Amino acid sequence: RLAWISLGACEYTLGDYMKWLRGAMRGSGPMWEESSRMNLFDRVPKLEVPAWFIVGRNDFNTPAVLVSEYVEKMNAPHKELIVMEGAAHTPFLKNPDGFNAEVIRIKKSIVQKKEGL
């Protein structure tokens, strides 16, 4: 489904898809050994910027419970976990309206804070 949606996006060219494919071949598959051993709790315990994490409740690649533990332990000026019920690794596909509403809410909160409202 994601492939069909992205193929219809006017923002990308055929060359962009080729670059993505080359990157994907070097990315999650070949990098799995290294990335599966990476401990973000130790490696990135603090962020200097606000952070929002949007995850699907049923995500097996990036489990919501693990992200929740990370968000709880990390230090950031603002941190927030948004769990999309009924969604897995692509909550923007499972619930595009809900996902977009969250992104808009996040943007509004950033703008309001920037403007001192």
Side-chain angles (χ1 to χ4, degrees):
R1 182 173 170 206
L2 180 57
W4 288 115
I5 291 170
S6 65
L7 286 173
C10 63
E11 296 85 0
Y12 301 108
T13 66
L14 183 58
D16 292 328
Y17 292 112
M18 297 304 292
K19 290 174 189 172
W20 174 84
L21 188 58
R22 281 194 306 272
M25 297 303 214
R26 292 188 314 268
S28 58
M31 290 178 14
W32 176 249
E33 282 299 316
E34 179 183 349
S35 63
S36 67
R37 290 189 308 267
M38 187 179 301
N39 184 338
L40 290 180
F41 289 82
D42 294 335
R43 193 144 187 201
V44 186
K46 180 179 181 180
L47 294 174
E48 300 295 329
V49 296
W52 288 263
F53 298 82
I54 303 176
V55 299
R57 171 75 65 201
N58 304 322
D59 190 340
F60 293 110
N61 295 316
T62 312
V65 66
L66 184 61
V67 178
S68 177
E69 289 175 24
Y70 178 64
V71 170
E72 186 176 313
K73 291 181 181 185
M74 72 165 319
N75 186 5
H78 172 90
K79 57 186 181 177
E80 184 176 339
L81 173 64
I82 301 154
V83 179
M84 305 288 296
E85 298 297 332
H89 196 60
T90 54
F92 54 92
L93 292 178
K94 179 66 174 179
N95 183 354
D97 292 337
F99 183 87
N100 290 339
E102 290 295 343
V103 172
I104 290 167
R105 181 183 65 79
I106 292 166
K107 180 183 176 188
K108 285 180 179 178
S109 72
I110 293 168
V111 169
Q112 287 175 347
K113 188 161 194 127
K114 186 177 178 181
E115 294 175 349
L117 300 174

PDB file of all heavy atoms in Angstrom, residues 73-110:
ATOM      1  N   LYS A  73      12.716   7.555  30.265  1.00  0.00           N
ATOM      2  CA  LYS A  73      14.064   7.671  30.828  1.00  0.00           C
ATOM      3  C   LYS A  73      14.898   8.792  30.219  1.00  0.00           C
ATOM      4  O   LYS A  73      15.814   9.284  30.861  1.00  0.00           O
ATOM      5  CB  LYS A  73      14.798   6.343  30.680  1.00  0.00           C
ATOM      6  CG  LYS A  73      14.207   5.286  31.563  1.00  0.00           C
ATOM      7  CD  LYS A  73      14.935   3.985  31.450  1.00  0.00           C
ATOM      8  CE  LYS A  73      14.248   2.979  32.374  1.00  0.00           C
ATOM      9  NZ  LYS A  73      14.931   1.721  32.436  1.00  0.00           N
ATOM     10  N   MET A  74      14.590   9.191  28.996  1.00  0.00           N
ATOM     11  CA  MET A  74      15.413  10.217  28.344  1.00  0.00           C
ATOM     12  C   MET A  74      15.128  11.596  28.921  1.00  0.00           C
ATOM     13  O   MET A  74      14.082  11.837  29.510  1.00  0.00           O
ATOM     14  CB  MET A  74      15.189  10.223  26.826  1.00  0.00           C
ATOM     15  CG  MET A  74      13.843  10.798  26.454  1.00  0.00           C
ATOM     16  SD  MET A  74      13.583  11.252  24.744  1.00  0.00           S
ATOM     17  CE  MET A  74      15.059  12.001  24.281  1.00  0.00           C
ATOM     18  N   ASN A  75      16.065  12.488  28.712  1.00  0.00           N
ATOM     19  CA  ASN A  75      15.946  13.857  29.184  1.00  0.00           C
ATOM     20  C   ASN A  75      15.835  14.766  27.961  1.00  0.00           C
ATOM     21  O   ASN A  75      16.665  14.682  27.055  1.00  0.00           O
ATOM     22  CB  ASN A  75      17.170  14.213  30.025  1.00  0.00           C
ATOM     23  CG  ASN A  75      17.051  15.566  30.672  1.00  0.00           C
ATOM     24  OD1 ASN A  75      16.030  16.226  30.578  1.00  0.00           O
ATOM     25  ND2 ASN A  75      18.110  15.984  31.332  1.00  0.00           N
ATOM     26  N   ALA A  76      14.814  15.607  27.934  1.00  0.00           N
ATOM     27  CA  ALA A  76      14.608  16.559  26.829  1.00  0.00           C
ATOM     28  C   ALA A  76      13.781  17.721  27.359  1.00  0.00           C
ATOM     29  O   ALA A  76      13.029  17.563  28.328  1.00  0.00           O
ATOM     30  CB  ALA A  76      13.893  15.882  25.665  1.00  0.00           C
ATOM     31  N   PRO A  77      13.888  18.901  26.717  1.00  0.00           N
ATOM     32  CA  PRO A  77      13.098  20.056  27.158  1.00  0.00           C
ATOM     33  C   PRO A  77      11.595  19.764  27.141  1.00  0.00           C
ATOM     34  O   PRO A  77      10.855  20.269  27.967  1.00  0.00           O
ATOM     35  CB  PRO A  77      13.432  21.149  26.150  1.00  0.00           C
ATOM     36  CG  PRO A  77      14.646  20.691  25.435  1.00  0.00           C
ATOM     37  CD  PRO A  77      14.744  19.223  25.582  1.00  0.00           C
ATOM     38  N   HIS A  78      11.178  18.961  26.199  1.00  0.00           N
ATOM     39  CA  HIS A  78       9.792  18.483  26.113  1.00  0.00           C
ATOM     40  C   HIS A  78       9.863  17.115  25.466  1.00  0.00           C
ATOM     41  O   HIS A  78      10.585  16.923  24.494  1.00  0.00           O
ATOM     42  CB  HIS A  78       8.926  19.423  25.262  1.00  0.00           C
ATOM     43  CG  HIS A  78       7.558  18.854  25.007  1.00  0.00           C
ATOM     44  ND1 HIS A  78       6.513  19.096  25.846  1.00  0.00           N
ATOM     45  CD2 HIS A  78       7.091  18.049  24.023  1.00  0.00           C
ATOM     46  CE1 HIS A  78       5.435  18.466  25.379  1.00  0.00           C
ATOM     47  NE2 HIS A  78       5.768  17.823  24.279  1.00  0.00           N
ATOM     48  N   LYS A  79       9.134  16.174  26.004  1.00  0.00           N
ATOM     49  CA  LYS A  79       9.073  14.852  25.401  1.00  0.00           C
ATOM     50  C   LYS A  79       7.652  14.342  25.506  1.00  0.00           C
ATOM     51  O   LYS A  79       6.966  14.585  26.503  1.00  0.00           O
ATOM     52  CB  LYS A  79      10.056  13.890  26.057  1.00  0.00           C
ATOM     53  CG  LYS A  79       9.866  13.743  27.549  1.00  0.00           C
ATOM     54  CD  LYS A  79      10.956  12.895  28.155  1.00  0.00           C
ATOM     55  CE  LYS A  79      10.729  12.733  29.649  1.00  0.00           C
ATOM     56  NZ  LYS A  79      11.720  11.868  30.258  1.00  0.00           N
ATOM     57  N   GLU A  80       7.232  13.694  24.440  1.00  0.00           N
ATOM     58  CA  GLU A  80       5.851  13.227  24.403  1.00  0.00           C
ATOM     59  C   GLU A  80       5.762  11.977  23.544  1.00  0.00           C
ATOM     60  O   GLU A  80       6.322  11.914  22.455  1.00  0.00           O
ATOM     61  CB  GLU A  80       4.955  14.323  23.828  1.00  0.00           C
ATOM     62  CG  GLU A  80       3.497  13.993  23.839  1.00  0.00           C
ATOM     63  CD  GLU A  80       2.636  15.155  23.346  1.00  0.00           C
ATOM     64  OE1 GLU A  80       3.100  16.315  23.370  1.00  0.00           O
ATOM     65  OE2 GLU A  80       1.503  14.885  22.934  1.00  0.00           O
ATOM     66  N   LEU A  81       5.042  11.014  24.063  1.00  0.00           N
ATOM     67  CA  LEU A  81       4.778   9.777  23.332  1.00  0.00           C
ATOM     68  C   LEU A  81       3.329   9.777  22.891  1.00  0.00           C
ATOM     69  O   LEU A  81       2.430   9.987  23.707  1.00  0.00           O
ATOM     70  CB  LEU A  81       5.055   8.565  24.222  1.00  0.00           C
ATOM     71  CG  LEU A  81       4.668   7.207  23.636  1.00  0.00           C
ATOM     72  CD1 LEU A  81       5.501   6.894  22.400  1.00  0.00           C
ATOM     73  CD2 LEU A  81       4.829   6.120  24.692  1.00  0.00           C
ATOM     74  N   ILE A  82       3.112   9.555  21.616  1.00  0.00           N
ATOM     75  CA  ILE A  82       1.768   9.473  21.059  1.00  0.00           C
ATOM     76  C   ILE A  82       1.616   8.069  20.497  1.00  0.00           C
ATOM     77  O   ILE A  82       2.335   7.678  19.574  1.00  0.00           O
ATOM     78  CB  ILE A  82       1.559  10.520  19.958  1.00  0.00           C
ATOM     79  CG1 ILE A  82       1.790  11.921  20.522  1.00  0.00           C
ATOM     80  CG2 ILE A  82       0.175  10.386  19.324  1.00  0.00           C
ATOM     81  CD1 ILE A  82       2.209  12.948  19.511  1.00  0.00           C
ATOM     82  N   VAL A  83       0.707   7.296  21.080  1.00  0.00           N
ATOM     83  CA  VAL A  83       0.489   5.919  20.649  1.00  0.00           C
ATOM     84  C   VAL A  83      -0.797   5.865  19.842  1.00  0.00           C
ATOM     85  O   VAL A  83      -1.860   6.253  20.323  1.00  0.00           O
ATOM     86  CB  VAL A  83       0.410   4.960  21.855  1.00  0.00           C
ATOM     87  CG1 VAL A  83       0.156   3.537  21.386  1.00  0.00           C
ATOM     88  CG2 VAL A  83       1.689   5.037  22.677  1.00  0.00           C
ATOM     89  N   MET A  84      -0.668   5.399  18.608  1.00  0.00           N
ATOM     90  CA  MET A  84      -1.815   5.281  17.713  1.00  0.00           C
ATOM     91  C   MET A  84      -2.393   3.867  17.864  1.00  0.00           C
ATOM     92  O   MET A  84      -1.742   2.885  17.516  1.00  0.00           O
ATOM     93  CB  MET A  84      -1.399   5.526  16.265  1.00  0.00           C
ATOM     94  CG  MET A  84      -0.683   6.842  16.014  1.00  0.00           C
ATOM     95  SD  MET A  84      -1.724   8.304  16.097  1.00  0.00           S
ATOM     96  CE  MET A  84      -2.824   8.044  14.750  1.00  0.00           C
ATOM     97  N   GLU A  85      -3.583   3.796  18.413  1.00  0.00           N
ATOM     98  CA  GLU A  85      -4.244   2.502  18.629  1.00  0.00           C
ATOM     99  C   GLU A  85      -4.582   1.851  17.289  1.00  0.00           C
ATOM    100  O   GLU A  85      -4.941   2.530  16.332  1.00  0.00           O
ATOM    101  CB  GLU A  85      -5.514   2.683  19.465  1.00  0.00           C
ATOM    102  CG  GLU A  85      -5.269   3.224  20.854  1.00  0.00           C
ATOM    103  CD  GLU A  85      -4.421   2.296  21.709  1.00  0.00           C
ATOM    104  OE1 GLU A  85      -4.440   1.062  21.500  1.00  0.00           O
ATOM    105  OE2 GLU A  85      -3.726   2.812  22.605  1.00  0.00           O
ATOM    106  N   GLY A  86      -4.477   0.537  17.243  1.00  0.00           N
ATOM    107  CA  GLY A  86      -4.844  -0.215  16.048  1.00  0.00           C
ATOM    108  C   GLY A  86      -3.838  -0.114  14.911  1.00  0.00           C
ATOM    109  O   GLY A  86      -4.053  -0.682  13.846  1.00  0.00           O
ATOM    110  N   ALA A  87      -2.754   0.609  15.118  1.00  0.00           N
ATOM    111  CA  ALA A  87      -1.750   0.796  14.070  1.00  0.00           C
ATOM    112  C   ALA A  87      -0.496   0.004  14.412  1.00  0.00           C
ATOM    113  O   ALA A  87      -0.239  -0.315  15.573  1.00  0.00           O
ATOM    114  CB  ALA A  87      -1.404   2.273  13.912  1.00  0.00           C
ATOM    115  N   ALA A  88       0.284  -0.284  13.382  1.00  0.00           N
ATOM    116  CA  ALA A  88       1.556  -0.969  13.578  1.00  0.00           C
ATOM    117  C   ALA A  88       2.688  -0.016  13.210  1.00  0.00           C
ATOM    118  O   ALA A  88       2.715   1.108  13.692  1.00  0.00           O
ATOM    119  CB  ALA A  88       1.594  -2.261  12.761  1.00  0.00           C
ATOM    120  N   HIS A  89       3.588  -0.416  12.306  1.00  0.00           N
ATOM    121  CA  HIS A  89       4.781   0.365  11.996  1.00  0.00           C
ATOM    122  C   HIS A  89       4.494   1.590  11.121  1.00  0.00           C
ATOM    123  O   HIS A  89       5.340   2.471  11.002  1.00  0.00           O
ATOM    124  CB  HIS A  89       5.816  -0.536  11.318  1.00  0.00           C
ATOM    125  CG  HIS A  89       7.189   0.034  11.285  1.00  0.00           C
ATOM    126  ND1 HIS A  89       7.889   0.370  12.430  1.00  0.00           N
ATOM    127  CD2 HIS A  89       8.008   0.341  10.250  1.00  0.00           C
ATOM    128  CE1 HIS A  89       9.065   0.839  12.099  1.00  0.00           C
ATOM    129  NE2 HIS A  89       9.176   0.853  10.790  1.00  0.00           N
ATOM    130  N   THR A  90       3.331   1.646  10.513  1.00  0.00           N
ATOM    131  CA  THR A  90       2.986   2.782   9.652  1.00  0.00           C
ATOM    132  C   THR A  90       1.658   3.406  10.094  1.00  0.00           C
ATOM    133  O   THR A  90       0.652   3.304   9.404  1.00  0.00           O
ATOM    134  CB  THR A  90       2.897   2.344   8.173  1.00  0.00           C
ATOM    135  OG1 THR A  90       1.976   1.239   8.074  1.00  0.00           O
ATOM    136  CG2 THR A  90       4.251   1.931   7.628  1.00  0.00           C
ATOM    137  N   PRO A  91       1.654   4.089  11.244  1.00  0.00           N
ATOM    138  CA  PRO A  91       0.399   4.675  11.720  1.00  0.00           C
ATOM    139  C   PRO A  91      -0.158   5.730  10.769  1.00  0.00           C
ATOM    140  O   PRO A  91      -1.363   5.953  10.734  1.00  0.00           O
ATOM    141  CB  PRO A  91       0.771   5.285  13.070  1.00  0.00           C
ATOM    142  CG  PRO A  91       2.253   5.416  13.065  1.00  0.00           C
ATOM    143  CD  PRO A  91       2.765   4.351  12.138  1.00  0.00           C
ATOM    144  N   PHE A  92       0.706   6.333   9.960  1.00  0.00           N
ATOM    145  CA  PHE A  92       0.245   7.325   8.990  1.00  0.00           C
ATOM    146  C   PHE A  92      -0.584   6.682   7.884  1.00  0.00           C
ATOM    147  O   PHE A  92      -1.355   7.365   7.216  1.00  0.00           O
ATOM    148  CB  PHE A  92       1.423   8.103   8.405  1.00  0.00           C
ATOM    149  CG  PHE A  92       2.498   7.228   7.809  1.00  0.00           C
ATOM    150  CD1 PHE A  92       2.472   6.888   6.478  1.00  0.00           C
ATOM    151  CD2 PHE A  92       3.517   6.751   8.607  1.00  0.00           C
ATOM    152  CE1 PHE A  92       3.456   6.073   5.930  1.00  0.00           C
ATOM    153  CE2 PHE A  92       4.508   5.941   8.079  1.00  0.00           C
ATOM    154  CZ  PHE A  92       4.475   5.593   6.724  1.00  0.00           C
ATOM    155  N   LEU A  93      -0.449   5.377   7.680  1.00  0.00           N
ATOM    156  CA  LEU A  93      -1.286   4.665   6.704  1.00  0.00           C
ATOM    157  C   LEU A  93      -2.550   4.111   7.349  1.00  0.00           C
ATOM    158  O   LEU A  93      -3.619   4.147   6.754  1.00  0.00           O
ATOM    159  CB  LEU A  93      -0.510   3.502   6.068  1.00  0.00           C
ATOM    160  CG  LEU A  93       0.638   3.872   5.157  1.00  0.00           C
ATOM    161  CD1 LEU A  93       1.324   2.614   4.640  1.00  0.00           C
ATOM    162  CD2 LEU A  93       0.144   4.707   3.979  1.00  0.00           C
ATOM    163  N   LYS A  94      -2.420   3.587   8.546  1.00  0.00           N
ATOM    164  CA  LYS A  94      -3.566   2.988   9.229  1.00  0.00           C
ATOM    165  C   LYS A  94      -4.602   4.041   9.607  1.00  0.00           C
ATOM    166  O   LYS A  94      -5.800   3.817   9.491  1.00  0.00           O
ATOM    167  CB  LYS A  94      -3.085   2.246  10.483  1.00  0.00           C
ATOM    168  CG  LYS A  94      -4.172   1.597  11.282  1.00  0.00           C
ATOM    169  CD  LYS A  94      -4.814   0.474  10.525  1.00  0.00           C
ATOM    170  CE  LYS A  94      -5.814  -0.267  11.406  1.00  0.00           C
ATOM    171  NZ  LYS A  94      -6.473  -1.330  10.701  1.00  0.00           N
ATOM    172  N   ASN A  95      -4.124   5.187  10.053  1.00  0.00           N
ATOM    173  CA  ASN A  95      -5.024   6.250  10.505  1.00  0.00           C
ATOM    174  C   ASN A  95      -4.472   7.602  10.049  1.00  0.00           C
ATOM    175  O   ASN A  95      -3.966   8.369  10.866  1.00  0.00           O
ATOM    176  CB  ASN A  95      -5.169   6.190  12.027  1.00  0.00           C
ATOM    177  CG  ASN A  95      -6.141   7.201  12.565  1.00  0.00           C
ATOM    178  OD1 ASN A  95      -6.656   8.052  11.840  1.00  0.00           O
ATOM    179  ND2 ASN A  95      -6.394   7.146  13.855  1.00  0.00           N
ATOM    180  N   PRO A  96      -4.544   7.882   8.735  1.00  0.00           N
ATOM    181  CA  PRO A  96      -3.946   9.132   8.246  1.00  0.00           C
ATOM    182  C   PRO A  96      -4.558  10.383   8.874  1.00  0.00           C
ATOM    183  O   PRO A  96      -3.830  11.329   9.178  1.00  0.00           O
ATOM    184  CB  PRO A  96      -4.182   9.100   6.740  1.00  0.00           C
ATOM    185  CG  PRO A  96      -5.046   7.935   6.459  1.00  0.00           C
ATOM    186  CD  PRO A  96      -5.118   7.083   7.680  1.00  0.00           C
ATOM    187  N   ASP A  97      -5.861  10.383   9.099  1.00  0.00           N
ATOM    188  CA  ASP A  97      -6.488  11.572   9.693  1.00  0.00           C
ATOM    189  C   ASP A  97      -5.997  11.794  11.120  1.00  0.00           C
ATOM    190  O   ASP A  97      -5.664  12.916  11.508  1.00  0.00           O
ATOM    191  CB  ASP A  97      -8.015  11.450   9.670  1.00  0.00           C
ATOM    192  CG  ASP A  97      -8.580  11.498   8.263  1.00  0.00           C
ATOM    193  OD1 ASP A  97      -7.902  12.038   7.355  1.00  0.00           O
ATOM    194  OD2 ASP A  97      -9.698  10.987   8.055  1.00  0.00           O
ATOM    195  N   GLY A  98      -5.936  10.720  11.903  1.00  0.00           N
ATOM    196  CA  GLY A  98      -5.456  10.825  13.276  1.00  0.00           C
ATOM    197  C   GLY A  98      -3.986  11.210  13.331  1.00  0.00           C
ATOM    198  O   GLY A  98      -3.580  12.045  14.142  1.00  0.00           O
ATOM    199  N   PHE A  99      -3.184  10.612  12.444  1.00  0.00           N
ATOM    200  CA  PHE A  99      -1.761  10.925  12.392  1.00  0.00           C
ATOM    201  C   PHE A  99      -1.555  12.391  12.015  1.00  0.00           C
ATOM    202  O   PHE A  99      -0.795  13.112  12.669  1.00  0.00           O
ATOM    203  CB  PHE A  99      -1.059  10.009  11.387  1.00  0.00           C
ATOM    204  CG  PHE A  99       0.423  10.205  11.319  1.00  0.00           C
ATOM    205  CD1 PHE A  99       1.267   9.527  12.180  1.00  0.00           C
ATOM    206  CD2 PHE A  99       0.982  11.075  10.394  1.00  0.00           C
ATOM    207  CE1 PHE A  99       2.643   9.693  12.122  1.00  0.00           C
ATOM    208  CE2 PHE A  99       2.357  11.262  10.326  1.00  0.00           C
ATOM    209  CZ  PHE A  99       3.187  10.574  11.197  1.00  0.00           C
ATOM    210  N   ASN A 100      -2.247  12.836  10.967  1.00  0.00           N
ATOM    211  CA  ASN A 100      -2.117  14.228  10.532  1.00  0.00           C
ATOM    212  C   ASN A 100      -2.573  15.196  11.619  1.00  0.00           C
ATOM    213  O   ASN A 100      -1.970  16.254  11.807  1.00  0.00           O
ATOM    214  CB  ASN A 100      -2.894  14.461   9.240  1.00  0.00           C
ATOM    215  CG  ASN A 100      -2.261  13.765   8.063  1.00  0.00           C
ATOM    216  OD1 ASN A 100      -1.078  13.424   8.077  1.00  0.00           O
ATOM    217  ND2 ASN A 100      -3.041  13.523   7.029  1.00  0.00           N
ATOM    218  N   ALA A 101      -3.625  14.835  12.337  1.00  0.00           N
ATOM    219  CA  ALA A 101      -4.108  15.692  13.427  1.00  0.00           C
ATOM    220  C   ALA A 101      -3.030  15.843  14.506  1.00  0.00           C
ATOM    221  O   ALA A 101      -2.828  16.939  15.045  1.00  0.00           O
ATOM    222  CB  ALA A 101      -5.390  15.119  14.028  1.00  0.00           C
ATOM    223  N   GLU A 102      -2.328  14.761  14.799  1.00  0.00           N
ATOM    224  CA  GLU A 102      -1.255  14.833  15.801  1.00  0.00           C
ATOM    225  C   GLU A 102      -0.107  15.709  15.310  1.00  0.00           C
ATOM    226  O   GLU A 102       0.434  16.519  16.067  1.00  0.00           O
ATOM    227  CB  GLU A 102      -0.738  13.430  16.148  1.00  0.00           C
ATOM    228  CG  GLU A 102      -1.713  12.597  16.938  1.00  0.00           C
ATOM    229  CD  GLU A 102      -2.008  13.144  18.322  1.00  0.00           C
ATOM    230  OE1 GLU A 102      -1.248  13.994  18.840  1.00  0.00           O
ATOM    231  OE2 GLU A 102      -3.010  12.706  18.913  1.00  0.00           O
ATOM    232  N   VAL A 103       0.277  15.553  14.058  1.00  0.00           N
ATOM    233  CA  VAL A 103       1.367  16.363  13.510  1.00  0.00           C
ATOM    234  C   VAL A 103       0.984  17.847  13.515  1.00  0.00           C
ATOM    235  O   VAL A 103       1.792  18.707  13.884  1.00  0.00           O
ATOM    236  CB  VAL A 103       1.751  15.889  12.086  1.00  0.00           C
ATOM    237  CG1 VAL A 103       2.731  16.846  11.435  1.00  0.00           C
ATOM    238  CG2 VAL A 103       2.329  14.474  12.141  1.00  0.00           C
ATOM    239  N   ILE A 104      -0.243  18.146  13.162  1.00  0.00           N
ATOM    240  CA  ILE A 104      -0.720  19.533  13.181  1.00  0.00           C
ATOM    241  C   ILE A 104      -0.731  20.073  14.613  1.00  0.00           C
ATOM    242  O   ILE A 104      -0.327  21.209  14.873  1.00  0.00           O
ATOM    243  CB  ILE A 104      -2.111  19.644  12.518  1.00  0.00           C
ATOM    244  CG1 ILE A 104      -1.967  19.401  11.007  1.00  0.00           C
ATOM    245  CG2 ILE A 104      -2.762  20.987  12.816  1.00  0.00           C
ATOM    246  CD1 ILE A 104      -3.276  19.174  10.283  1.00  0.00           C
ATOM    247  N   ARG A 105      -1.176  19.243  15.560  1.00  0.00           N
ATOM    248  CA  ARG A 105      -1.182  19.657  16.972  1.00  0.00           C
ATOM    249  C   ARG A 105       0.245  19.960  17.443  1.00  0.00           C
ATOM    250  O   ARG A 105       0.486  20.973  18.114  1.00  0.00           O
ATOM    251  CB  ARG A 105      -1.807  18.560  17.839  1.00  0.00           C
ATOM    252  CG  ARG A 105      -1.875  18.915  19.312  1.00  0.00           C
ATOM    253  CD  ARG A 105      -2.428  17.768  20.147  1.00  0.00           C
ATOM    254  NE  ARG A 105      -1.575  16.596  20.147  1.00  0.00           N
ATOM    255  CZ  ARG A 105      -0.470  16.461  20.880  1.00  0.00           C
ATOM    256  NH1 ARG A 105      -0.067  17.443  21.665  1.00  0.00           N
ATOM    257  NH2 ARG A 105       0.238  15.344  20.839  1.00  0.00           N
ATOM    258  N   ILE A 106       1.186  19.106  17.068  1.00  0.00           N
ATOM    259  CA  ILE A 106       2.583  19.317  17.443  1.00  0.00           C
ATOM    260  C   ILE A 106       3.093  20.623  16.840  1.00  0.00           C
ATOM    261  O   ILE A 106       3.714  21.441  17.521  1.00  0.00           O
ATOM    262  CB  ILE A 106       3.453  18.117  16.998  1.00  0.00           C
ATOM    263  CG1 ILE A 106       3.087  16.875  17.808  1.00  0.00           C
ATOM    264  CG2 ILE A 106       4.936  18.451  17.121  1.00  0.00           C
ATOM    265  CD1 ILE A 106       3.631  15.579  17.224  1.00  0.00           C
ATOM    266  N   LYS A 107       2.806  20.823  15.567  1.00  0.00           N
ATOM    267  CA  LYS A 107       3.265  22.054  14.898  1.00  0.00           C
ATOM    268  C   LYS A 107       2.685  23.286  15.583  1.00  0.00           C
ATOM    269  O   LYS A 107       3.405  24.255  15.845  1.00  0.00           O
ATOM    270  CB  LYS A 107       2.880  22.043  13.425  1.00  0.00           C
ATOM    271  CG  LYS A 107       3.339  23.300  12.715  1.00  0.00           C
ATOM    272  CD  LYS A 107       2.910  23.332  11.286  1.00  0.00           C
ATOM    273  CE  LYS A 107       3.314  24.660  10.674  1.00  0.00           C
ATOM    274  NZ  LYS A 107       2.781  24.868   9.358  1.00  0.00           N
ATOM    275  N   LYS A 108       1.399  23.249  15.891  1.00  0.00           N
ATOM    276  CA  LYS A 108       0.770  24.394  16.556  1.00  0.00           C
ATOM    277  C   LYS A 108       1.415  24.666  17.908  1.00  0.00           C
ATOM    278  O   LYS A 108       1.627  25.820  18.285  1.00  0.00           O
ATOM    279  CB  LYS A 108      -0.735  24.157  16.720  1.00  0.00           C
ATOM    280  CG  LYS A 108      -1.507  24.323  15.439  1.00  0.00           C
ATOM    281  CD  LYS A 108      -2.989  24.076  15.663  1.00  0.00           C
ATOM    282  CE  LYS A 108      -3.761  24.261  14.372  1.00  0.00           C
ATOM    283  NZ  LYS A 108      -5.198  23.977  14.535  1.00  0.00           N
ATOM    284  N   SER A 109       1.743  23.608  18.641  1.00  0.00           N
ATOM    285  CA  SER A 109       2.359  23.817  19.965  1.00  0.00           C
ATOM    286  C   SER A 109       3.751  24.436  19.822  1.00  0.00           C
ATOM    287  O   SER A 109       4.139  25.265  20.630  1.00  0.00           O
ATOM    288  CB  SER A 109       2.427  22.497  20.748  1.00  0.00           C
ATOM    289  OG  SER A 109       3.401  21.627  20.212  1.00  0.00           O
ATOM    290  N   ILE A 110       4.483  24.055  18.768  1.00  0.00           N
ATOM    291  CA  ILE A 110       5.803  24.638  18.529  1.00  0.00           C
ATOM    292  C   ILE A 110       5.677  26.111  18.157  1.00  0.00           C
ATOM    293  O   ILE A 110       6.399  26.957  18.680  1.00  0.00           O
ATOM    294  CB  ILE A 110       6.545  23.856  17.418  1.00  0.00           C
ATOM    295  CG1 ILE A 110       6.862  22.445  17.902  1.00  0.00           C
ATOM    296  CG2 ILE A 110       7.811  24.586  16.988  1.00  0.00           C
ATOM    297  CD1 ILE A 110       7.317  21.520  16.805  1.00  0.00           C
TER     298      ILE A 110
END
